Amino acid sequence: MKIDRRSFLGLGLGAAAGVALSPVGVKLTDDSSIWTQNWPWTPVPEDGKITYDRSVCSLCPGACGISVKKINGRPVKIEGLDDYPINNGGACPHGISGLQYLYDPARIKTPLKKNGNKFEKISWDEAISLVAQKLGEIRKSGTPESLGLITGADSGSMAQLFERFMAAFGSPNTYNMPSLESNLALTAAALHGADRSLGFDLDHSDFILSFGAAIIEGWGSPVACIQANASRRERKAKLVQVDYRLSNTANAADKIIAVKPGTEADLALGLCGVLLAKNLIAGDVNTSAFAAMLAKEYTPDKVEAITGVKAADMEALAMEFIKAKAPVAVPGKGRGDVGQSLREFAAVQALNALADRLNKKGGVFVMYPADYLSFPENVMDDAAKQGASKAKLAGSVNELVDKLEKDGGLSALFIYNANPCYALNNPEKVKVAMDKVGFKVSFSSFMDETALRSDVILPASIFLERLEDVVSGGGLAKTVVGLCRPMVKPIFDTKHPADALILLAQAMGDSIAQSFSWNSYDACLEQVTGKIWHTLSGDGYVVIDDKPPVGTPATDFTFLVSAPKAAVPMGEGDYTLVPVDKMRLAVGSMISSPFAVKIISDKVLSGKYSVVEINPATAGILKDGDIAVLKTAMGKAKVKIGFNEGILPGVIGMPRGLGHAFNNPYVAGKGVNVNDLIGPVIEPGSGLDAAFGIKATLSKA
Ligand code: SF4
């Protein structure tokens, strides 16, 4: 398929003029409040004493401070918290509709046990003793390593508590769901050393070169990114967006560089090659092997052939980047979580290293994790020591799915803060893999695709009902620990997942119980955050660090010198299907609230159909508004065609976050889960699913 870059840019910019940015703030707060009162299951607030409490939203990695308005002690409205060091009064549509998560009828209201194909209600005592008994049998059989954990918690005390349970039980098999945070940690490990992450100082950069990052559509800490972009004009800072469609971020950019999807790493390597060939690198980095590889494989002409970006444009971009006072290159297409390649992240970070932008104001900070938690030593008996020292079954959650689907290997699985049966590519395969695990325990708050396949559900209280430390992450160039506080007692028979874990450990007895000797999670949190607890509980947050780290970390380019080629999209077809992230559509373990679904544009969801964007230049006989069949090697779906001259010819953009398949009238049956149509392509060397898209065909239905 020939890519006509000029027509993409020329037509696209005109066509999308006037597209509004995702609104954040007062207007939506009012809308949400009005809508909230229109849902039959949402209590109507009575007159009474008005109070405001501060807390932190943990619905996404944004970690925004929130202010919760209460009437007679009952939460009635959520707004962004003024002066909070991450979001300074802003909040996104999901945060402000947090009350809907509280009252949502799809919440799991009591512990459940699978009986045949149905769930039956059980008490907490029954649920805990059932899980303890099953886990006890696994330990007795001498295979504690066959307990697995799939978690969406990257940081904070909850991540450590689950890890602690796994270690005390005797299993190394913890797997994190894909996230921007984990991709950045992998990148830092590949180039700078283990146990670090990357934070992008967008607030102080004068030249942001984004490789498809949806900076105003949910990348990183979404509200912080939107605010950094909003202040760009005053700072006279430039945004250059490398993209294959005119996203809201691209529309807000000063310049768009159109690339073929999946070739962002090649462009970044090409830019590195230009800087090295012209000897324009700044700082002290050892680049000889990297430079030799680039001179051979990534000459401007070769990169033009791969990416579609003209060699002269690439050279001009490299010059603009290196000449800026405070440039920064940002990796991670869309939200930067799934379908990402370590090669791509590392190539973009190499550009930062060559331009001497590490640990510089307005650059990228190579940060150590916030060191504020002090857990007492874990008590591990011989079985735990032996089991935990065994090799992991797989290197990543994607590899785990492969392994389980083919050979099994886990007797039991915990799932916390994750919905792999929806959020990973090819969920059908994930479901088959899950079915190979004998006993699954979900800690979900909602009946989602993964909870449905579990044997026991220990329902979690949501963020408005629980205490928790919430650590900033997601590419933010500062570390803030916030305190999420209970705004209301659990309104259903749910528990804090940490309290469920403590009860479970104590029911198992012996060394596991000794590792979890707290009376409650609240007591645990106060103990383990000892050194910051006073400020955390008083002010509601602690800024651990917000300055550039001292010194410049070394950069080792070996990974890039030996990195594999780009993941090739699977299958056949004239089109490449790519997922498109939208601010108003929740992804991952989070499900869009009814309010958020209500405000989705009909250019994204039209009735029951996902609207897919295609460029009219490659529409063939299809017309705008047609219902079409979209087919890939993984499956097919009926979709509605939406013409968009702002997407590259030959590319199909499908919104991510639709097509849930469980009994919730507000989100189920609406559109297609794009992950159903995309097969994973595991990247050698990283274990990441690097499938940015898949080949596809479109025909009239
Ligand atoms: S961006 Fe994330 S943390 Fe912030 S309000 Fe929205 S959902 Fe909550």
Side-chain angles (χ1 to χ4, degrees):
M1 182 72 46
K2 188 166 177 285
I3 305 292
D4 182 348
R5 193 173 69 86
R6 262 179 310 186
S7 85
F8 163 58
L9 292 181
L11 294 170
L13 282 169
V19 171
L21 303 187
S22 300
V24 173
V26 175
K27 176 67 174 71
L28 267 182
T29 308
D30 288 347
D31 287 351
S32 171
S33 227
I34 293 160
W35 277 110
T36 295
Q37 305 320 320
N38 286 339
W39 309 110
W41 34 266
T42 306
V44 177
E46 61 214 23
D47 289 339
K49 188 175 168 215
I50 295 177
T51 53
Y52 292 86
D53 274 353
R54 48 194 297 155
S55 187
V56 173
C57 175
S58 61
L59 286 170
C60 89
C64 298
I66 52 172
S67 168
V68 180
K69 179 180 175 182
K70 294 178 176 177
I71 297 180
N72 286 342
R74 193 177 60 201
V76 296
K77 187 175 181 181
I78 297 176
E79 294 172 290
L81 182 62
D82 287 339
D83 297 329
Y84 195 76
I86 292 176
N87 56 312
N88 191 22
C92 81
H94 307 292
I96 60 173
S97 48
L99 291 180
Q100 296 203 328
Y101 291 101
L102 187 64
Y103 300 114
D104 192 329
R107 278 194 66 181
I108 302 166
K109 302 179 180 76
T110 176
L112 297 172
K113 173 178 98 170
K114 185 71 80 54
N115 188 353
N117 284 332
K118 291 196 169 147
F119 281 106
E120 64 184 40
K121 293 179 185 175
I122 51 175
S123 69
W124 273 99
D125 283 350
E126 287 171 294
I128 294 294
S129 57
L130 173 58
V131 178
Q133 182 210 324
K134 290 277 183 193
L135 295 189
E137 287 165 13
I138 292 171
R139 278 204 119 218
K140 248 189 214 141
S141 73
T143 56
E145 69 279 6
S146 68
L147 170 66
L149 164 67
I150 295 180
T151 174
D154 288 318
S155 59
S157 65
M158 287 305 295
Q160 291 203 22
L161 271 173
F162 270 93
E163 280 275 14
R164 184 178 177 88
F165 187 94
M166 295 296 286
F169 188 82
S171 175
N173 280 306
T174 295
Y175 299 91
N176 282 77
M177 288 293 282
S179 67
L180 175 63
E181 190 61 30
S182 59
N183 293 338
L184 293 174
L186 280 173
T187 309
L191 296 185
H192 310 298
D195 291 330
R196 301 178 213 193
S197 192
L198 304 178
F200 297 82
D201 190 13
L202 304 184
D203 283 325
H204 299 105
S205 170
D206 70 343
F207 190 97
I208 300 167
L209 176 55
S210 154
F211 286 79
I215 286 175
I216 58 172
E217 292 146 290
W219 187 91
S221 185
V223 175
C225 285
I226 289 169
Q227 290 176 342
N229 181 63
S231 69
R232 221 167 28 82
R233 299 270 174 232
E234 287 161 36
R235 292 184 282 121
K236 297 195 173 44
K238 219 169 174 181
L239 169 64
V240 175
Q241 181 75 1
V242 174
D243 223 318
Y244 37 79
R245 62 180 286 277
L246 197 65
S247 60
N248 282 353
T249 305
N251 194 40
D254 300 276
K255 191 193 270 185
I256 305 162
I257 305 288
V259 286
K260 295 177 194 172
T263 64
E264 293 82 355
D266 303 281
L267 178 62
L269 291 171
L271 293 169
C272 290
V274 171
L275 295 183
L276 283 162
K278 292 182 185 292
N279 202 17
L280 286 173
I281 62 165
D284 179 22
V285 275
N286 180 357
T287 56
S288 49
F290 187 42
M293 185 276 284
L294 294 176
K296 191 166 160 228
E297 308 276 351
Y298 293 92
T299 60
D301 287 347
K302 282 187 180 172
V303 173
E304 176 176 333
I306 299 168
T307 63
V309 178
K310 287 211 160 58
D313 292 346
M314 197 176 64
E315 290 187 333
L317 179 61
M319 297 304 290
E320 216 181 341
F321 184 76
I322 200 75
K323 282 185 177 165
K325 274 198 189 123
V328 66
V330 183
K333 295 184 291 287
R335 291 177 192 250
D337 46 12
V338 298
Q340 307 291 335
S341 133
L342 181 56
R343 172 178 175 266
E344 186 176 315
F345 271 65
V348 174
Q349 177 64 358
L351 197 52
N352 286 318
L354 294 183
D356 195 21
R357 299 306 301 145
L358 308 185
N359 293 353
K360 300 286 189 310
K361 192 173 177 184
V364 55
F365 299 174
V366 182
M367 303 154 72
Y368 287 95
D371 178 24
Y372 67 95
L373 292 169
S374 304
F375 277 87
E377 199 171 333
N378 211 356
V379 185
M380 293 169 72
D381 61 13
D382 286 346
K385 283 180 192 155
Q386 271 178 24
S389 65
K390 292 200 172 145
K392 287 178 78 164
L393 265 187
S396 67
V397 70
N398 301 297
E399 288 177 345
L400 176 71
V401 168
D402 260 0
K403 172 89 184 122
L404 291 178
E405 191 223 9
K406 284 186 198 123
D407 317 316
L410 291 180
S411 312
L413 180 65
F414 284 178
I415 306 109
Y416 170 64
N417 207 19
N419 185 8
C421 291
Y422 172 83
L424 293 178
N425 280 334
N426 195 0
E428 282 311 309
K429 180 174 168 179
V430 182
K431 289 173 190 169
V432 173
M434 289 266 299
D435 289 347
K436 297 260 175 92
V437 181
F439 185 66
K440 290 150 299 229
V441 181
S442 164
F443 293 79
S444 180
S445 304
F446 293 89
M447 188 55 85
D448 58 27
E449 288 83 351
T450 306
L452 268 172
R453 303 192 93 74
S454 302
D455 298 286
V456 174
I457 304 178
L458 304 176
S461 303
I462 73 157
F463 72 106
L464 293 167
E465 301 166 314
R466 71 197 219 195
L467 190 75
E468 193 169 329
D469 53 322
V470 180
V471 192
S472 62
L476 211 61
K478 59 175 90 164
T479 306
V480 180
V481 180
L483 190 65
C484 173
R485 308 183 219 235
M487 296 291 107
V488 64
K489 284 196 176 135
I491 61 172
F492 301 117
D493 187 15
T494 60
K495 281 190 193 299
H496 196 305
D499 281 324
L501 211 53
I502 290 170
L503 286 175
L504 183 57
Q506 291 175 356
M508 297 205 63
D510 300 330
S511 56
I512 303 177
Q514 288 166 35
S515 295
F516 285 77
S517 57
W518 301 281
N519 290 331
S520 67
Y521 170 71
D522 292 7
C524 163
L525 187 65
E526 185 172 344
Q527 182 195 356
V528 300
T529 57
K531 47 189 168 182
I532 62 163
W533 176 251
H534 183 69
T535 315
L536 185 63
S537 55
D539 297 349
Y541 68 88
V542 177
V543 178
I544 305 276
D545 215 343
D546 61 356
K547 305 269 179 316
V550 177
T552 304
T555 302
D556 181 348
F557 297 95
T558 308
F559 170 78
L560 282 167
V561 173
S562 58
K565 298 287 177 214
V568 178
M570 291 169 80
E572 292 177 355
D574 289 340
Y575 294 93
T576 303
L577 168 68
V578 294
V580 170
D581 283 321
K582 302 276 178 187
M583 188 73 194
R584 296 172 191 196
L585 280 173
V587 296
S589 66
M590 184 174 151
I591 297 159
S592 297
S593 68
F595 168 68
V597 173
K598 204 84 190 165
I599 59 172
I600 296 170
S601 152
D602 63 1
K603 292 193 180 331
V604 174
L605 175 69
S606 177
K608 62 181 182 177
Y609 293 111
S610 288
V611 179
V612 297
E613 301 171 350
I614 58 170
N615 191 306
T618 45
I621 59 161
L622 293 168
K623 294 193 180 57
D624 193 31
D626 275 354
I627 303 301
V629 176
L630 197 166
K631 223 189 241 182
T632 72
M634 306 313 300
K636 61 181 178 178
K638 277 191 182 170
V639 294
K640 190 166 183 176
I641 298 294
F643 277 1
N644 180 356
E645 289 162 332
I647 188 165
L648 278 180
V651 178
I652 304 170
M654 178 183 263
R656 199 151 70 98
L658 292 170
H660 278 287
F662 51 84
N663 189 19
N664 177 335
Y666 298 101
V667 293
K670 294 192 187 323
V672 177
N673 179 6
V674 67
N675 303 327
D676 282 335
L677 298 171
I678 298 182
V681 178
I682 308 285
E683 182 183 50
S686 73
L688 294 180
D689 171 9
F692 62 89
I694 190 166
K695 287 291 176 190
T697 60
L698 273 175
S699 56
K700 207 161 174 179

